[in-house]
Amino acid sequence: MKFGFFDDAKKEYVINSPKTPYPWINYLGNQGFFSLISNTAGGYCFYKDARLRRITRYRYNNVPLDMGGRYFYINDNGTIWNPGWSPVKTPLDFYECRHGMGYTVITGKKNDLKAEVTFFVPQNYDGEVQQVVLTNESKEAKSFSIFSIAEWCLWDAQDDCTNFQRNFSTGRVEIEGSTIYHVTEYRDRRNHYAFYTVNDTIDGYDTDRDSFLGSIYNGWDNPETVKADKPANSFADGWSPVASHYKKVTLAPGESKTLIYILGYAENPQDKKFAAEKPANLLTRETWVLNKEKAYAMIEKYNTPEKVAAGLEELRNTWNDLLSIFNVNTPDDKVNRMVNIWNQYQCMVTFNLSRSASYFESGIGRGMGFRDSNQDILGFVHQIPERARERLIDIASTQLSDGGCYHQYQPLTKKGNADIGGDFSDDPLWMILSVAAYIKETGDWGILDANVPFDDDPNGKHTMLEHLNVSFYHIVNNLGPHGLPLAMRADWNDCINLSCFSDTPGESFQTYTNPKFAAEGGYSKVAESAFVAALFTYTGPAFVGILEHLRKADEAAKAQAEIDKMKKNVMESAFDGDWFIRAYDANGEKMGSKECEEGKIFIEPQGFAVMSEIGKDVGADIKTLNSIDKYLNCEYGLVLNNPAFTKYYIQYGEISTYPGGYKENAGIFTHNNAWIICAEAYVGRGDKAFEDYSKIAPAFTEETSDIHKTEPYVYGQMIGGKDAKNFGQGKNSWLTGTAAWNMVAISQYILGVQPVFDGLKVDPSIPHEWDGFTAVRKFRGATFNITVKNPEHVCKGVKAMTVDGKAVEGNVIPVCESGTHEVEIVMG
Ligand code: GLC
Ligand code: GLC
């Protein structure tokens, strides 16, 4: 069952029923100001940091689920409705939500009155613009009223939802004309404020939530003021400050009126915080006056429909440009819309927000993840390489000089998060991959010389190359009894906690390590990760390639020797005959082996082991892929492990706490499905790669949205696995490494357009039925029009390549001069 459709020409998903199986959201803003907006206009906004600088309030895990946001209420002679249906839920005569690239348009119609609301965050602007177009489609004049509402968050979202003894007494506002200012704590220690304005006169307002609702017993679905068609004109004094405008409108038949609301954020320099004079029309309870110059300028910028149209146009152009860098035309529309539109769009969102704020992440719990952000760059780097470079330097600056890393950092402070700490064994390796991806995209070898400090030596002179070096050797220097990397607290899978042995409720599996390992430095020196071993052998060659390019032959040879040794150790101790084991636990027992009672096979190490060609000479690669197909494959994707754990294994930790089929216990963790898709493509099984891809790529789930539940235009972290009662049900949509990795899987492995250090490789591994495909790729200043022909209907193999009509040996397009170049590839 579907709840809408893709409008590919407009790059929109169009939702035509407000009762989607879960709130289907979009993200507005891609620089400093961000909003989450659901298909019924629920959600919230923040500036840069969803925890520390929250602008509007949101109640998570609410009943009903998605309550609170920015709403418009219309009172049309007693019929009260919202353009987005919720919160009043009056049945509408027409409803539509169009989620587009950085904007959302929600349209509702009731009794011949139409309200079309466009929400967007313009480029280089710290505010959400909401343009409301009201049209009287009836044959008579209509008089009605419109209320807006936004509830302020008192800045720190964590404190805001816990510290009520203080927060119910701190709220402050100012009102000037049609603008309501939120100034809580401004006089004291803050220099930022927020505002909500409308570009017209108003007939009343409210700034105190309970006055707007009329009673503490009312919800957003039933505000007294809206029902009575009479604002309370309340002035907030503590409690919960809000901003609501009241406006009476009369429209002749066929007439339209446009109102432009702006929800904005601004900061003042310390010495310009206050205005010298108090304007006559200012409503305040304070003896001081907020300096509103910045707000005035922001309001001026979008106070007419023409200016709004120009802002939208600029946003559209920005996205059209971003999406023109890589563009394909394959025989499959669903692939085209994923690659050309939605997957790239999601990559921008994950790059911006890591795992911080979604409808499954509260924005409070997590900052930017070290491994997460490094992987996000893999799917984003071609869009705005300069931003990727800046991010790489920020991330690397939180690394320690021994190669260890803080697992997370706060975007506002850019400092490693001490609560979570480090010792996640895989973290450093992802940075080798992301820096290499950046160089492959741009050819900017200069990043290796960039001055990048270590967290424990903030003033020292260090280079990015040194960071890569300590990252690589952090693995080499932390090996266990079988010569495999120590697993430490977790190794990509946050729920395999081999040093935890936790039997006490509330201990965090990620940060708690059992005191019995204290003497060993905090974690087991026996537990080893075969996954990190395979990630090391997959990533290591990029490091070697960098050293070779820099003509550091000795260092390259030394690193290569470590990779070769690791491959040997894996074959000796971690190959189980038909697949690679997952780990050795702290008791020295195998995890993810035929010998185990449950969890005999895990997905994680397999893809990277195959792509590292570990044991290829004895057929380990194909045996492994066949085992995955046999034990992990099911209707909706590949499960993470099998059989699912049915007991608590204290030696494994969190993974065995989930009911079978969910999350890391045999859920379909789409992130690592991508690694298998890459591996299938790598070995040339293009049919299989595509089959695995089409099980999880969101556009392919559209028809079964009632089962899949989450948005059909973006990946979620997890889909219920074959052991789950809710088999096929998606969760944790939007913020997942799947976005980047499946972008890599489809573009670089299946379609095979892959940046390498010295050019652009084209090595497709496609379904054999395809006659070919075309792609446009902008790369290092040139544009390549690539035509791939598959006359013999093979899955993989490049027989011939021409660039601008001239035959080129192999399948790497050399770096070319700017301008457009025609590339033809014949498979066979
Ligand atoms: C989540 C985390 C990621 C982790 C994965 C597996 O997606 O963001 O860091 O690797 O779960 O536990
Ligand atoms: C991390 C992971 C998530 C995992 C959770 C367990 O947040 O991202 O996948 O389930 O840890 O607490």
Side-chain angles (χ1 to χ4, degrees), residues 790-804:
N790 188 20
E792 291 164 31
H793 288 272
V794 296
C795 285
K796 186 164 170 143
V798 170
K799 207 157 71 176
M801 175 168 90
T802 58
V803 177
D804 293 328

Side-chain angles (χ1 to χ4, degrees), residues 43-58:
Y44 59 90
C45 338
F46 58 94
Y47 177 72
K48 282 193 182 164
D49 192 313
R51 171 171 174 174
L52 299 177
R53 205 53 57 81
R54 187 74 66 93
I55 295 166
T56 55
R57 187 176 276 168
Y58 194 72

Side-chain angles (χ1 to χ4, degrees), residues 355 366 371-372 492-495 664 669 717:
R355 307 293 169 269
R366 301 167 72 172
R371 74 157 82 93
D372 299 325
W492 179 83
N493 192 327
D494 279 331
C495 302
E664 282 86 340
F669 225 83
Q717 178 205 57

